Amino acid sequence: MKLPKKTKSPRVIPGFGLTMGVTVTLLSLLILIPLASVFLFSFQLSFAQFWKLITKQVVLNAFATSLSCALVAALVNCVFGLILAWVLVRCDFPGKRLLDGLIELPFALPTAVAGITLSKMYADTGLLGAPLAKLGIRVSYTKLGLTVALIFVGIPFVVRAIQPVLVKLDPQYEEAACMLGADRKQTFLRVVLPELFPALLTGFGLAFARGVGEYGSVIYISGNSAKHHTQVISYVIMQKLNYVDYASATAIALVLLLFSFVVLFLVNLVQLRQARRTNLL
């Protein structure tokens, strides 16, 4: 019996070769070649020179400041991002669409504008900084200010990662858990949270990676003091570039690049295991 000949469905964008060529060219020009240049500049140094550069005390302090503030900010964003996403998906209230749109404000707002606004607002004479200063809490030009700026920058990553999963999560699971005798805490911890965990982890990873390399929004509020350990690693890279010290700048950038790859690899690994557990693959 002769099988009917398969007919190709019409493509919206014709020409696989052309589109693939454009994709590979743009990917190479925008991502692969710039990343490769970082490796090439770094390989001009011997291992001893590379190690000496990245283990300078000022560089280690900057790494510690960036990592610790980004970690705290990402953890805070996980809590408040989950609450925000839950409210936006499961609740109806006036102004919901406006609030939903404001979540993406940190994406659209220039980071330098965000940094200036936050530093003025949380200064000792600012709108929020003045009452906090009376309580003995200084925000601007401290690590606390750095963390506040990174929370502002990172919150959309967590909210936008959780929202689609919450939309698809059928409320009947929660109703079934309640009918089987689970209280609210058990329903959240054993039914809702396991389903949201991969998305929550994705948002955490993205917010954390963004926070470690953030420059514009933290440069004003941090004060950039080496004495008080408020210099971030991106500021140290800019310092090296201003002194035309490309070798040191690329060595530090290479460490940041490897760190970002490790974070994304771990996030994807956990997502893969979670997907296998829930039989999505």
Side-chain angles (χ1 to χ4, degrees):
M1 181 178 177
K2 189 175 181 180
L3 295 174
K5 190 176 180 180
K6 291 183 178 179
T7 58
K8 291 184 179 180
S9 58
R11 297 176 185 272
V12 176
I13 301 177
F16 171 76
L18 177 62
T19 52
M20 179 57 77
V22 172
T23 303
V24 171
T25 303
L26 288 177
L27 187 67
S28 301
L29 291 175
L30 298 178
I31 299 177
L32 297 180
I33 292 177
L35 293 183
S37 67
V38 174
F39 278 95
L40 289 177
F41 270 111
S42 301
F43 289 155
Q44 292 177 356
L45 303 171
S46 66
F47 180 76
Q49 291 173 319
F50 177 82
W51 185 254
K52 185 179 179 181
L53 281 172
I54 64 170
T55 54
K56 284 183 178 177
Q57 194 58 47
V58 65
V59 177
L60 292 178
N61 290 339
F63 269 121
T65 300
S66 291
L67 289 173
S68 59
C69 292
L71 179 62
V72 173
L75 290 174
V76 172
N77 278 333
C78 283
V79 176
F80 289 101
L82 177 59
I83 296 172
L84 262 173
W86 184 276
V87 169
L88 290 172
V89 173
R90 296 296 174 88
C91 302
D92 290 318
F93 55 91
K96 177 179 174 179
R97 289 185 179 276
L98 178 62
L99 179 61
D100 192 33
L102 287 176
I103 294 297
E104 293 179 348
L105 184 62
F107 285 153
L109 194 68
T111 53
V113 176
I116 293 171
T117 305
L118 290 173
S119 61
K120 294 294 290 181
M121 186 180 295
Y122 285 101
D124 290 348
T125 56
L127 182 64
L128 298 177
L132 290 174
K134 291 179 181 176
L135 298 174
I137 302 173
R138 294 194 67 233
V139 181
S140 283
Y141 318 122
T142 65
K143 289 184 179 179
L144 179 59
L146 264 171
T147 307
V148 170
L150 295 179
I151 290 172
F152 174 79
V153 171
I155 191 73
F157 291 102
V158 180
V159 176
R160 292 304 185 223
I162 295 175
Q163 264 185 304
V165 183
L166 262 179
V167 170
K168 292 182 179 178
L169 185 61
D170 196 337
Q172 288 184 352
Y173 291 122
E174 300 156 44
E175 295 172 3
C178 292
M179 291 178 65
L180 292 172
D183 57 22
R184 291 183 177 182
K185 182 180 177 182
Q186 290 172 326
T187 302
F188 177 76
L189 293 178
R190 297 186 179 183
V191 177
V192 177
L193 190 58
E195 296 295 326
L196 298 181
F197 183 72
L200 191 63
L201 187 65
T202 300
F204 170 81
L206 293 174
F208 182 47
R210 168 68 185 271
V212 171
E214 179 61 21
Y215 178 76
S217 64
V218 299
I219 199 67
Y220 300 103
I221 200 170
S222 66
N224 306 311
S225 170
K227 180 181 177 182
H228 296 99
H229 297 180
T230 57
Q231 282 186 346
V232 292
I233 196 62
S234 53
Y235 176 77
V236 176
I237 293 176
M238 283 300 299
Q239 268 190 327
K240 302 294 183 186
L241 291 175
N242 287 336
Y243 291 120
V244 202
D245 187 0
Y246 294 115
S248 300
T250 51
I252 300 169
L254 180 63
V255 176
L256 276 182
L257 184 62
L258 295 176
F259 173 79
S260 299
F261 279 137
V262 170
V263 170
L264 292 177
F265 174 76
L266 292 177
V267 168
N268 281 282
L269 187 65
V270 173
Q271 283 182 325
L272 185 63
R273 289 189 176 183
Q274 184 73 10
R276 285 176 177 168
R277 188 183 69 81
T278 54
N279 296 321
L280 291 178
L281 292 179

